[in-house]
């Protein structure tokens, strides 16, 4: 994302014109419309408009820009929302799930998740580099790592959350037998996973800056993408039985100690 910032800053400068476009062509006040061909001022060239329905690249840039500008600062997600459209009257809905990529690349700095939200999908806050704090409160199920490559320094959950607990600044299962999420900003030289942990969860260390991880003898499984795109260089896994798909894909891994108990290595584990 960083290498796109010069382009992105130019797009930010186009915001007044893109809002005018959205009003003129889509009839909306809170949006952006980017034409197919523009000069460096955001002015259409070529004599025709294709809007956001023609080229996927244009739609992607417009969507990314909208998310970045729309969602910023401290966010409190409501427990209930009222939705309507031309075919249905207003109706109230309870917010229970945060879907994949719902805040990705946004500039939010903190987020409070309501008690009603019980599930969060992977990449929900992917690359939210300004996000420093997240309160997951009553979340019961997490798929993958929703805060991968974000700036999160602090994870919080309710003390009585039945599924998760925070230890060493990381998210663990309530029974402490699975390490679920390690914030990507942690760049320690070494982390020793506590004895009793059995599983390193899927995408747990995705994007992590930690150089070495020491696994206790109780850990037998690294799930899919456990150390994907991380700075991990060394890992000691003397009792590992299973290494999931893409567990070390795009990582900096240089050495790993494996066990005679190893039963399987899934596809692209070291790709």
């Amino acid at each position: 994302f960083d290498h796109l910032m010069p382009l992105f800053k130019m797009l930010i400068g186009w915001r007044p014109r893109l809002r005018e476009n959205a009003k003129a062509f889509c009839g909306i006040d809170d949006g952006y419309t980017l034409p197919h061909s523009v000069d460096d001022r955001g002015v259409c060239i070529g004599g025709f408009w294709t809007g956001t329905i023609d080229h996927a690249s244009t739609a992607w840039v417009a969507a990314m820009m909208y998310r970045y500008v729309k969602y910023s600062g401290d966010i409190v997600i409501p427990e209930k929302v009222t939705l309507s459209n031309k075919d249905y009257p207003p109706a109230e809905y309870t917010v229970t799930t945060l879907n994949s990529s719902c805040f990705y690349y946004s500039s939010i700095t903190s987020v409070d998740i309501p008690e009603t939200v019980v599930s969060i999908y992977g990449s929900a806050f992917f690359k939210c580099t300004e996000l420093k704090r997240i309160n997951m409160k009553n979340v019961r199920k997490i798929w993958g790592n929703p805060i991968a490559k974000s700036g999160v320094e602090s994870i919080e959950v309710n003390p009585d959350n039945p599924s998760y607990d925070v230890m060493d600044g990381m998210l663990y299962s309530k029974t402490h037998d699975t390490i679920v999420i390690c914030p990507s900003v942690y760049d320690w030289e070494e982390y020793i996973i506590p004895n009793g942990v059995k599983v390193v969860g899927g995408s747990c260390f995705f994007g992590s800056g930690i150089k070495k991880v020491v696994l206790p003898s109780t850990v037998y499984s690294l799930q899919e993408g456990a150390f994907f795109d991380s700075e991990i260089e060394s890992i000691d896994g003397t009792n590992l039985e299973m290494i999931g798909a893409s567990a070390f894909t795009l990582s900096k891994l240089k050495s790993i100690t494996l066990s005679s108990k190893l039963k399987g290595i899934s596809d692209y584990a070291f790709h």
Side-chain angles (χ1 to χ4, degrees):
F1 182 69
D2 292 341
H3 68 284
L4 293 175
M5 284 309 295
L7 170 63
F8 197 63
K9 289 178 180 178
M10 181 174 68
L11 290 172
I12 291 294
W14 296 354
R15 286 170 60 189
R17 183 174 295 277
L18 298 185
R19 282 194 179 278
E20 291 175 6
N21 296 344
K23 179 67 174 178
F25 288 89
C26 303
I28 57 176
D29 295 314
D30 186 19
Y32 302 104
T33 295
L34 183 67
H36 167 45
S37 300
V38 295
D39 60 18
D40 60 2
R41 300 168 298 163
V43 177
C44 178
I45 58 176
F48 67 95
W49 285 74
T50 55
T52 57
I53 62 172
D54 188 5
H55 293 268
S57 59
T58 300
W60 176 81
V61 169
M64 181 177 70
M65 181 178 178
Y66 181 79
R67 288 174 183 271
Y68 188 88
V69 174
K70 177 71 173 179
Y71 302 111
S72 61
D74 299 326
I75 297 293
V76 178
I77 299 174
E79 292 190 354
K80 296 181 181 294
V81 294
T82 300
L83 302 176
S84 64
N85 60 34
K86 63 183 180 64
D87 297 317
Y88 297 96
E92 188 176 67
Y93 297 88
T94 300
V95 179
T96 61
T97 302
L98 300 183
N99 279 330
S100 178
S101 304
C102 64
F103 285 97
Y104 82 125
Y105 285 110
S106 74
S107 55
I108 60 176
T109 52
S110 71
V111 59
D112 275 308
I113 298 171
E115 301 279 353
T116 55
V117 171
V118 294
S119 59
I120 303 178
Y121 283 81
S123 299
F125 301 95
F126 180 75
K127 258 316 184 60
C128 292
T129 55
E130 296 179 44
L131 178 61
K132 304 302 180 185
R133 180 183 66 85
I134 185 167
N135 191 336
M136 297 185 180
K137 292 184 179 176
N138 198 41
V139 171
R140 312 288 182 87
K141 180 63 179 176
I142 294 172
W143 281 266
N145 186 342
I147 61 170
K149 292 207 165 186
S150 73
V152 169
E153 300 169 350
S154 172
I155 302 175
E156 303 168 27
V157 296
N158 287 348
D160 59 351
N161 186 305
S163 299
Y164 299 109
D165 191 19
V166 176
M167 184 168 60
D168 297 334
M170 303 184 190
L171 192 68
Y172 279 80
S173 62
K174 192 69 172 185
T175 56
H176 294 177
D177 61 355
T178 301
I179 178 171
V180 182
I181 296 175
C182 169
S184 299
V185 295
Y186 293 172
D187 58 357
W188 310 329
E189 287 299 315
E190 179 179 280
Y191 180 63
I192 301 175
I193 294 179
N195 192 48
V197 174
K198 299 177 181 179
V199 175
V200 177
S203 302
C204 175
F205 288 89
F206 184 171
S208 169
I210 296 176
K211 305 295 190 300
K212 179 180 180 180
V213 171
V214 179
L215 306 179
S217 60
T218 52
V219 171
Y220 67 87
S221 174
L222 304 181
Q223 293 187 342
E224 181 175 351
F227 293 90
F228 187 89
D229 197 16
S230 71
E231 298 294 316
I232 189 74
E233 296 178 355
S234 173
I235 190 164
D236 184 354
T238 54
N239 282 323
L240 279 177
E241 296 180 11
M242 178 61 66
I243 298 177
S246 302
F248 295 97
T249 297
L250 299 180
S251 74
K252 302 277 184 70
L253 187 68
K254 297 177 181 178
S255 67
I256 181 170
T257 303
L258 298 177
S259 165
S260 59
K261 296 181 180 180
L262 189 65
K263 298 177 181 178
I265 299 177
S266 298
D267 293 345
Y268 306 108
F270 298 96
H271 185 64

